[in-house]
Each structure stands twice: as structure tokens, then as C-alpha cells.
């Protein structure tokens, strides 16, 4: 079952409009009742609706899983059409259209590629495996055995490093985490029948990754705000809590100022105050998108997309490239990786391992300390011949020599502009969330050299403080495009400000 993560966009305003229209229609059909218990009835109905939505979503997930297992177990079902089989067919066909449109290109194009200086490196891994057969020269039988065994390691090498099995409905339980995930998806206008196992699993993992920050921030904020109008002591206490969560000085001042204005206008109960803080945080995270950047961040179909991945060594740049390649493959995009970080030891080998995990080819130069721009040139040539949708470029991440870093990145940009003038270029900074304010200093250096267009925030898996996302956006003015909450290949997903804030402050 394929799920396009790049197109996972929600419009909360449309969802609210649908809710209001449904409420108006229900009020028109229902008899008029002026009882004093209308407010309590609304609250109970909302709780019941949320619970029924979650139950329906859980049931639909199980039904889809049962349908897929029955199809694989009984291939002769096509001979006996029934009404029960009609329902899963449109979903499966609709979800497989994105694959059918891309897979033929990915499968048929590679044999047409003429070898380049960088692509020779792809053939070399198979040549050492073919070299051992000539050693047992006296025996002729091992030769065909070696030829028969050579495909086996190629197909088997991704298995030790392959991504873990996708979550299945059997892995899900109808617990508090599922209810919270369902509530978040329902608030964004999703329908129960459209919810996937991957979405629920990701939201639960995100909530778990931000659990440490949430337990230390949300409950204390709620207790402080619930004491009444904010005074000087309360403001200082809230400021201390936000700074401890790595929110940053600038974003903290903005949050406190907005909260003070709101409290002067009306008295807010604790739950309403937390809800207002969520609203302000979401506005801060969405500010770059509303000003200068496109909210729909996905590879475009009408041309090649080149994403330059930058970041200091150790921030998870190469790992992020492998995870992005996996998302691209799973979402129906033909992807290619360029190993242009030629100066870091074992960088090319690490990229190759992640390419095997995501089943994506890697273009690299077999030599050492080669020119990164030459690798990018060969990768663009290969991508053009293969009709690749997305080319991920791994760039150098050495901050100790700022001038050389700038020169290398500028040279790569010139090669990209010359070789692929019509390509859609993005420059994403991979930032380690555990570094906190130190990561912002690194981001400022890269923003001067790489013409950044977005940020990928990694390692938000419990050890980091989630407030750093607000500091990054407020200080850099760049949108967060992806967020990582684990080490697995499926633990990197497109960023949603609504989901992030709910996971950060939900009690």
C-alpha cells in the first residue's frame, strides 16, 4: 500500500468549513430546543464524535489489511466477483497509479545510460564479487556457481540494512496514543477511511519523541497560567520554562508578549491559555511560509528537482538523504543520490549503504579527494538520461574552513545552474536538534554560503528539546520542511506545524 507523504497536505480552514456546514444542516433538521443543557450536550457530542471517528478509522485500517491478506492468499478471487470485493478495488487502483506512472521509467531507463566517470563506481562493487571465481582454476564447476551466487549477494545485501517491516494493524492498539493521533488527523479534515497505518504510527512516534519536553513544559505552563492574570513573577516563570525548552530568546519574547496582550483583554482558564499558546506557536512556525516560501513542498513532476543537502558533519546529513530517498521511492518519485561529500572519510560508503536500504542508485567517483562539482555534473547527466524526478546531493560539511566550504558550495551551485538550468533547486540545511542554540550558529554560517531554502530538523527522539524548532524558524526565517524522530528509515517525515505543536503541548 503506497502512501504519498509529499502530498500529505491539510487545510484546517476547509475542515472547519465542512464542520460548520454539517452542524448547520444538523441544526436545520433537528427540532428546536432551548434547554440550558445545550453547552454540556455539545461537549459530550464532540467527545462522542471524536471517539466514533477513532473507532471508524481503526476499523477501516483492519478491513484494508484483511482485504490485502485475502487477495494475496487467494489469487483466484477474480473469477468470483462479489459485492464485498468491489470496495477495496478503487482504493488499491488509485493508490497504485502513482507507482505505475513512475516505475516503468525507473526500470527501463537505467540500461540506456552510457557509462560516465562517476557511474563506473557503480559497476565496481560487482567486479570484486566476480573476481574470486578465477582463483579456483583447477576446478571448472565453481565458475558457474560463482555466477549463480553473484546475484544473491546483490539482492541480499539490502536485507541486513533494509528498512524494518512497515507497521501493520496488528502493531496498533486502540489506546490513548491511537485516540490522540486520530483526534489530530480528524482536526485537520481527514476522513476515517483515508487514514493509513503509517500516519498513526508516525504521530505516535512524534508524540513519544517530544514526550520529555511536553511533560516538563505543558503541565508547568498550565499551572502557571491557571493562577489568573499574569504578573511579573508569572512572566518570569513562563520565560524560564520556554528557555529551558530551547525556544530561544526571540521566540520566547514573542510568545510572552502575545500572551500578555490576550490576558489583559480577557481572563483565560488554563485550557484556553494553552490553546492560545498553541495558536501563537503555530503562527511562528508558519510565518516563513506565509511570507516568502511555498507551503506545498514536494518534488515537481514537470521537471527535474535537485535538492542540495547541507549541514555540519555529524548532524545526520547522510542519514537524512537515505530517508528522503526512501520517502521519494515510497511516494512514487524516481530518485537518485549524488555522493558529493568526497573529503569526509567513508562518506561515500555511508551513502552507498543508505542507497541500498532505499533501493536508490548512488552516483560517486571511485577516487579519493575528488572534485565534488565533477560528481554533481555526472549525477545530473545520469539523472537527465534516466528521467529522474529527484536528485539528492550530499555536500561537504566542514565548518573549520569556512572559505573553502563557501567556494565548494558556490561551485556546485554554478554547475547545477549550467548543467540543469530548468531544474527546481532546493537547498536544505540538516540541523541536529540536540545541539540547541549551538546549532543556530552553524545554521547562520551555512545560510551565508548555501542560499538555504529550508531546514530539516533531526534527532527529536527524546534527548532533544522540541522548542528548538521555534528558535530555528524565528532566528533564521526559514521553514522547517522535514522532521526526524528516530533512527529508522521511516522516522523522517514532512513537517506539519499543527501536528508538532499538538505533540509538544498536548496534556
Amino acid at each position: 500500500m503506497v502512501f504519498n507523504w509529499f502530498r500529505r497536505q491539510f487545510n484546517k480552514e476547509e475542515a472547519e468549513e465542512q464542520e460548520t456546514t454539517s452542524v448547520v444542516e444538523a441544526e436545520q433538521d433537528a427540532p428546536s430546543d432551548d434547554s440550558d443543557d445545550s453547552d454540556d450536550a455539545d461537549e459530550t457530542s464532540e467527545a462522542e464524535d471524536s471517539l466514533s471517528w477513532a473507532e471508524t478509522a481503526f476499523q477501516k485500517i483492519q478491513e484494508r489489511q484483511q482485504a490485502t491478506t485475502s487477495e494475496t492468499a487467494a489469487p483466484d478471487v477474480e473469477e468470483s466477483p462479489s459485492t464485498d470485493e468491489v470496495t477495496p478495488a478503487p482504493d488499491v487502483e488509485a493508490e497504485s497509479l502513482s507507482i505505475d506512472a513512475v516505475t516503468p521509467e525507473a526500470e527501463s531507463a537505467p540500461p540506456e545510460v552510457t557509462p560516465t566517470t562517476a557511474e563506473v563506481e557503480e559497476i565496481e562493487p560487482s567486479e570484486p564479487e566476480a573476481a574470486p571465481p578465477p582463483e579456483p582454476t583447477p576446478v571448472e564447476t565453481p565458475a558457474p556457481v560463482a555466477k549463480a551466487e553473484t546475484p544473491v549477494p546483490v539482492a541480499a545485501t539490502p536485507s541486513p540494512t533494509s528498512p524494518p517491516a512497515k507497521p501493520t494493524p496488528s502493531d496498533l492498539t486502540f489506546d490513548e496514543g491511537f485516540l490522540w493521533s486520530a483526534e489530530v488527523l480528524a482536526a485537520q479534515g481527514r476522513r476515517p477511511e483515508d487514514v493509513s497505518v503509517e500516519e498513526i504510527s508516525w504521530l505516535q512516534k512524534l508524540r513519544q519523541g517530544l514526550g520529555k519536553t511536553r511533560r516538563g513544559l505543558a503541565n508547568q505552563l498550565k499551572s502557571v497560567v491557571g493562577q489568573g492574570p499574569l504578573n511579573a513573577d508569572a512572566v518570569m516563570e513562563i520565560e524560564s520554562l520556554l528557555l529551558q525548552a530551547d525556544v530561544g530568546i526571540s521566540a520566547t519574547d514573542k510568545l510572552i508578549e502575545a500572551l500578555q496582550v490576550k490576558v489583559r483583554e480577557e481572563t483565560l482558564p488554563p485550557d484556553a491559555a494553552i490553546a492560545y499558546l498553541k495558536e501563537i506557536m503555530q503562527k511562528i512556525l508558519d510565518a516563513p511560509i506565509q511570507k516568502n516560501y511555498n507551503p506545498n513542498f514536494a518534488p515537481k513532476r514537470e521537471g527535474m528537482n535537485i535538492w542540495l543537502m547541507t549541514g555540519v558533519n555529524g548532524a545526520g546529513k547522510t542519514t537524512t538523504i537515505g530517508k528522503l530517498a526512501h520517502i521519494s521511492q515510497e511516494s512514487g518519485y524516481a530518485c537518485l543520490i549524488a555522493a558529493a561529500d568526497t573529503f569526509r572519510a567513508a562518506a561515500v560508503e555511508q551513502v552507498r549503504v543508505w542507497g541500498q536500504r532505499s533501493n536508490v542508485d548512488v552516483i560517486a567517483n571511485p577516487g579519493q579527494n575528488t572534485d565534488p562539482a565533477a560528481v554533481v555534473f555526472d549525477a545530473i547527466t545520469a539523472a537527465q538520461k534516466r528521467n529522474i524526478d529527484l536528485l539528492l546531493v550530499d555536500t561537504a560539511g566542514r565548518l573549520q574552513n569556512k572559505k573553502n566550504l563557501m567556494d565548494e558550495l558556490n561551485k556546485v551551485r554554478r554547475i547545477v545552474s549550467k548543467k540543469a538550468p530548468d531544474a527546481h533547486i532546493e537547498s536544505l540545511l540538516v540541523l541536529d536538534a540536540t545541539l540547541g542554540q549551538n546549532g543556530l550558529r552553524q545554521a547562520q554560517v551555512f545560510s551565508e554560503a548555501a542560499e538555504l531554502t529550508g531546514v530539516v530538523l533531526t534527532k527529536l527522539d527524546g534527548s532533544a528539546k522540541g522548542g528548538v524548532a521555534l528558535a530555528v524558524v524565528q532566528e533564521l526565517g526559514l521553514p522547517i520542511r522535514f522532521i526526524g524522530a528516530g533512527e529508522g528509515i521511516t522516522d523522517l517525515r514532512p513537517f506539519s506545524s499543527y501536528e508538532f505543536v499538538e505533540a509538544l503541548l498536548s496534556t
Side-chain angles (χ1 to χ4, degrees):
M1 181 178 179
V2 175
F3 184 81
N4 192 338
W5 281 96
F6 287 111
R7 294 300 179 188
R8 185 174 176 266
Q9 303 293 335
F10 307 109
N11 192 334
K12 189 177 179 181
E13 295 179 357
E14 293 181 0
E16 292 177 352
E17 290 179 0
Q18 294 177 359
E19 291 178 0
T20 52
T21 53
S22 61
V23 171
V24 171
E25 293 176 357
E27 291 178 352
Q28 292 177 353
D29 297 337
S32 60
D33 187 6
D34 298 334
S35 61
D36 297 334
D37 299 334
S38 59
D39 295 338
D40 296 337
D42 292 339
E43 293 179 359
T44 54
S45 63
E46 289 179 0
E48 292 176 356
D49 292 341
S50 178
L51 181 60
S52 62
W53 196 100
E55 292 175 348
T56 304
F58 191 80
Q59 181 181 3
K60 293 295 182 181
I61 290 175
Q62 290 182 327
E63 290 177 356
R64 285 198 300 267
Q65 180 65 14
Q66 292 175 358
T68 54
T69 53
S70 61
E71 289 177 359
T72 55
D76 297 332
V77 176
E78 297 179 356
E79 299 179 359
S80 59
S82 61
T83 55
D84 297 334
E85 297 173 3
V86 179
T87 51
D91 297 337
V92 175
E93 294 178 358
E95 293 171 353
S96 60
L97 289 178
S98 58
I99 300 182
D100 298 335
V102 181
T103 328
E105 300 176 358
E107 294 179 355
S108 60
E112 301 176 2
V113 182
T114 57
T116 60
T117 57
E119 290 175 324
V120 175
E121 190 272 338
E122 295 181 355
I123 307 175
E124 289 186 359
S126 61
E127 292 178 358
E129 297 176 0
E135 295 179 2
T137 51
V139 184
E140 297 180 358
T141 53
V145 174
K147 292 181 181 178
E149 290 178 352
T150 48
V152 177
V154 174
T157 44
S159 60
T161 57
S162 59
K166 291 184 180 180
T168 60
S170 59
D171 299 331
L172 298 178
T173 56
F174 196 79
D175 54 4
E176 180 185 356
F178 188 95
L179 289 174
W180 176 85
S181 302
E183 184 179 353
V184 170
L185 293 173
Q188 297 179 96
R190 298 301 303 278
R191 296 183 301 176
E193 56 269 19
D194 296 334
V195 175
S196 64
V197 184
E198 291 84 354
E199 287 181 285
I200 297 294
S201 300
W202 162 249
L203 288 176
Q204 289 179 341
K205 188 168 294 184
L206 177 62
R207 185 170 184 260
Q208 182 180 1
L210 297 176
K212 182 178 179 180
T213 306
R214 179 178 63 256
R215 288 187 294 268
L217 179 62
N219 294 330
Q220 297 183 49
L221 282 175
K222 191 173 182 179
S223 62
V224 173
V225 175
Q227 296 176 0
L230 295 181
N231 51 27
D233 295 336
V235 170
M236 291 183 64
E237 189 171 354
I238 294 176
E239 181 179 4
S240 176
L241 291 174
L242 294 174
L243 291 176
Q244 290 176 9
D246 270 346
V247 175
I249 297 177
S250 180
T252 298
D253 292 342
K254 191 170 184 178
L255 286 170
I256 291 179
E257 182 180 357
L259 188 60
Q260 284 179 320
V261 173
K262 186 69 174 179
V263 171
R264 292 192 193 103
E265 295 176 355
E266 57 180 315
T267 301
L268 295 177
D271 292 337
I274 296 297
Y276 184 70
L277 275 177
K278 291 181 181 179
E279 182 181 347
I280 300 301
M281 287 184 176
Q282 190 174 353
K283 288 182 179 179
I284 293 176
L285 294 172
D286 291 338
I289 293 177
Q290 296 175 356
K291 294 180 180 179
N292 303 319
Y293 298 93
N294 186 6
N296 298 324
F297 189 78
K300 296 179 174 55
R301 294 289 188 182
E302 60 275 9
M304 184 169 60
N305 302 266
I306 301 177
W307 290 3
L308 304 176
M309 309 303 298
T310 61
V312 68
N313 294 337
K317 177 166 53 69
T318 305
T319 302
T320 299
I321 290 175
K323 295 178 181 180
L324 284 177
H326 176 73
I327 294 177
S328 302
Q329 292 287 86
E330 292 295 314
S331 301
Y333 292 91
C335 184
L336 191 66
I337 300 176
D341 188 1
T342 59
F343 296 97
R344 182 170 65 89
V348 176
E349 295 298 329
Q350 186 180 1
V351 172
R352 186 183 295 111
V353 170
W354 278 103
Q356 292 177 353
R357 291 182 179 181
S358 55
N359 295 324
V360 174
D361 291 336
V362 175
I363 304 298
N365 196 308
Q368 296 181 355
N369 295 333
T370 56
D371 187 7
V375 178
V376 175
F377 183 90
D378 292 341
I380 294 176
T381 302
Q384 291 172 342
K385 293 180 179 179
R386 303 185 187 189
N387 295 324
I388 293 296
D389 297 320
L390 177 61
L391 174 62
L392 299 172
V393 180
D394 186 13
T395 62
R398 295 172 294 124
L399 283 180
Q400 62 270 22
N401 196 332
K402 181 179 176 181
K403 183 179 184 302
N404 288 349
L405 173 65
M406 289 185 177
D407 293 341
E408 291 174 10
L409 293 176
N410 290 332
K411 187 176 181 180
V412 169
R413 291 300 294 260
R414 289 196 302 268
I415 292 297
V416 171
S417 300
K418 182 179 180 181
K419 184 66 177 176
D422 298 331
H424 306 285
I425 304 174
E426 299 287 346
S427 183
L428 301 179
L429 173 68
V430 181
L431 194 61
D432 186 352
T434 60
L435 298 179
Q437 300 301 312
N438 292 331
L440 294 178
R441 306 295 180 267
Q442 300 174 1
Q444 292 172 355
V445 175
F446 278 98
S447 63
E448 299 173 359
E451 301 177 12
L452 300 177
T453 59
V455 176
V456 180
L457 200 59
T458 63
K459 303 182 182 180
L460 276 173
D461 51 359
S463 58
K465 299 177 181 179
V468 69
L470 296 164
V472 168
V473 174
Q474 185 67 23
E475 295 291 339
L476 300 180
L478 295 171
I480 299 177
R481 294 304 192 181
F482 296 91
I483 185 172
E487 298 179 356
I489 198 171
T490 61
D491 295 338
L492 182 81
R493 299 301 185 187
F495 179 75
S496 169
S497 61
Y498 178 79
E499 294 174 356
F500 181 83
V501 172
E502 287 296 323
L504 185 64
L505 290 182
S506 62
T507 56

